[in-house]
Amino acid sequence: VTRLVPAAVSEGFRGRVLVEGSNFLNTTTLVCRFRGAAVVPGRFEEQSRVWCDVPERELRGTGSGGGQRRMSVEVSNNGVDFEGGGHAVLEVSPLPEVVGAGPLERNGTDVLVVGSGLNSMGLRCRFSTGDSTVPANQNDTVLSCALPSACVGAVVDEARCGRALAV
C-alpha cells in the first residue's frame, strides 16, 4: 500500500477511499481494515487499485481531543494477512461547529467566524445571498471570509448579508 485518495476526510464523510499499491488480487477474500478492527470487503479495480467503503462508526471517536486524528487503513488479499498500516493513514478532522459570526469591522469586507473544527479541509463560508467564499486566516477556532460583493459597501442589507454559515 502506497497511498490513499482522499488522504483526509471529516467525521461526516460518507463514501469510499481508493487504496493504491501493488499486488492486489481480484478475489472474494479481498478486504480492507480500518483502525486495526473494522473489516469491509474491498472492491478490486486493478492490481494497483482497490476501493474501500469507510465505516462511519470508525470515523467517530478516532482519537482524543478535538483536533485532527489518524486512522490506519490496511488491505488483505486473503482476509488474514494485512499490509499498509504504517503507510496508509487517513487523516480525520472533526465536524466543524459554528458558535458565532459577524463582521470584522463596520462596512468591512470580511466576516469573522468563531467555533471549533474550523480547520477542516474544503470548508467554505456560505452567505444568505447564496454566495460562498474560501476562508483565509484559518485555524481550529477562528477563520475569516471575504464578504460577497453584494454585501460590501456603505449600505448593506442586514437581512441578506448579516449571517455566515460554515459548511
Side-chain angles (χ1 to χ4, degrees), residues 33 75-83:
R33 182 167 68 181
V75 176
S76 172
N77 286 318
N78 62 13
V80 177
D81 302 311
F82 287 87
E83 296 292 330

Side-chain angles (χ1 to χ4, degrees), residues 43-77:
R43 293 193 179 104
F44 182 86
E45 183 173 304
E46 58 186 60
Q47 188 178 7
S48 62
R49 298 163 59 108
V50 172
W51 290 96
C52 303
D53 289 322
V54 180
E56 179 184 343
R57 70 182 180 280
E58 295 303 318
L59 292 174
R60 293 185 304 252
T62 54
S64 60
Q68 197 157 0
R69 296 163 317 256
R70 299 166 57 87
M71 178 170 58
S72 64
V73 180
E74 303 166 290
V75 176
S76 172
N77 286 318

